[in-house]
Amino acid sequence: MKKITCIAVSALVLILFLSSYSYQKTVSSNKPDKNKENYSDILVQSPMTVSNNDLFPVNGKHQYLRLRMAKGKYYEDWNPGAYQGTLLEGYFIIELADEFGNTIAKTDLSTIYKERLIFNSSFEFQFDDYNDDGDLDFTIGQYTSNNGRDYKLFTLREDGKIEVLPIRDYSSLFISKATGYYSTKLTKIDNVTFNIEYYDNIKGKNSEDVYKWNGKEFVKD
């Protein structure tokens, strides 16, 4: 009888022990993992760079010129169209930085573009000097139609600021034949003159325009 009682007590103790262990394991598994950080769906901790340009091969300076989205949204659209893919849409800045990443100058493009800019790929600025003043010039383009894109012409001043190079009667240039989608070189005729090629809907074919610097602005020749 004593033997049966001992066996029963031992079995009861074992059951209580296993029940306690199972409960502790369940509670432990339901506790949040302190090693895992709480994130939103996508966490962005700095402006997003769409164009990063090393200036040393261009002007011998250990500097970088960057086009960065300061405010906007990142999303994807895989439907066929002009903006298919991964997209950055918003308001951008151009930042000149030294080789250590320290900002030298910053230009807010929202003072130049009234609409939001959209890019679906990274790219590099294509530099040249179109008015023979020694400063680097470059274009930034945006989609207009299947026949071409609108490009604004910018210049990088010695102090690092970005300015628009004025073109009389035009805020931008519609170009069909380009060397790059978001930045293109212009075809130079001489040190202060360039031409562009664009599709003329009225003529139904490509046409050319020539622009010449007069000391203050480019004028259609």
Side-chain angles (χ1 to χ4, degrees):
M1 183 68 179
K2 289 183 178 180
K3 186 175 182 180
I4 295 174
T5 302
C6 289
I7 293 173
V9 171
S10 298
L12 180 60
V13 171
L14 180 60
I15 291 171
L16 291 174
F17 172 77
L18 291 175
S19 298
S20 174
Y21 175 78
S22 176
Y23 172 76
Q24 290 177 0
K25 187 175 181 181
T26 301
V27 171
S28 176
S29 65
N30 289 333
K31 288 182 179 179
D33 188 348
K34 293 182 179 180
N35 294 325
K36 292 183 179 179
E37 298 183 54
N38 292 323
Y39 288 125
S40 57
D41 290 341
I42 296 177
L43 180 64
V44 179
Q45 295 182 317
S46 68
M48 300 182 72
T49 301
V50 70
S51 182
N52 182 42
N53 305 271
D54 183 358
L55 296 185
F56 185 76
V58 185
N59 61 7
K61 295 182 179 181
H62 294 285
Q63 297 175 344
Y64 291 86
L65 193 65
R66 298 183 172 108
L67 176 63
R68 314 182 77 188
M69 186 173 73
K71 183 179 181 181
K73 59 183 179 179
Y74 165 88
Y75 61 100
E76 296 184 354
D77 185 351
W78 296 105
N79 294 315
Y83 296 111
Q84 182 179 3
T86 56
L87 304 170
L88 292 177
E89 178 180 353
Y91 300 96
F92 287 74
I93 60 172
I94 295 182
E95 179 184 85
L96 181 67
D98 63 21
E99 58 186 317
F100 304 107
N102 301 310
T103 300
I104 298 171
K106 188 183 296 184
T107 303
D108 184 358
L109 291 185
S110 66
T111 62
I112 299 170
Y113 291 92
K114 301 308 177 185
E115 68 280 1
R116 291 174 294 181
L117 301 180
I118 302 176
F119 300 96
N120 68 350
S121 66
S122 59
F123 66 99
E124 292 186 350
F125 294 145
Q126 300 194 26
F127 296 103
D128 211 321
D129 181 5
Y130 298 110
N131 59 352
D132 200 30
D133 64 354
D135 291 337
L136 292 179
D137 306 327
F138 60 96
T139 59
I140 296 178
Q142 287 287 278
Y143 174 84
T144 304
S145 72
N146 291 334
N147 292 325
R149 289 161 292 282
D150 274 330
Y151 293 89
K152 285 188 183 295
L153 182 55
F154 296 93
T155 189
L156 172 62
R157 297 303 185 192
E158 188 65 29
D159 62 359
K161 291 292 186 179
I162 301 298
E163 296 178 5
V164 175
L165 283 179
I167 303 171
R168 183 184 295 177
D169 299 328
Y170 296 93
S171 60
S172 61
L173 298 170
F174 179 70
I175 301 176
S176 299
K177 187 177 181 180
T179 60
Y181 195 93
Y182 289 119
S183 184
T184 184
K185 277 201 170 189
L186 306 175
T187 304
K188 294 177 68 172
I189 297 175
D190 57 37
N191 288 341
V192 294
T193 311
F194 65 83
N195 72 350
I196 63 168
E197 188 172 324
Y198 64 96
Y199 184 79
D200 190 321
N201 286 317
I202 297 176
K203 296 179 180 179
K205 62 179 182 179
N206 281 3
S207 296
E208 288 188 359
D209 282 340
V210 176
Y211 295 86
K212 187 170 185 175
W213 184 254
N214 66 3
K216 295 182 179 180
E217 61 186 354
F218 283 102
V219 179
K220 191 173 178 180
D221 209 358

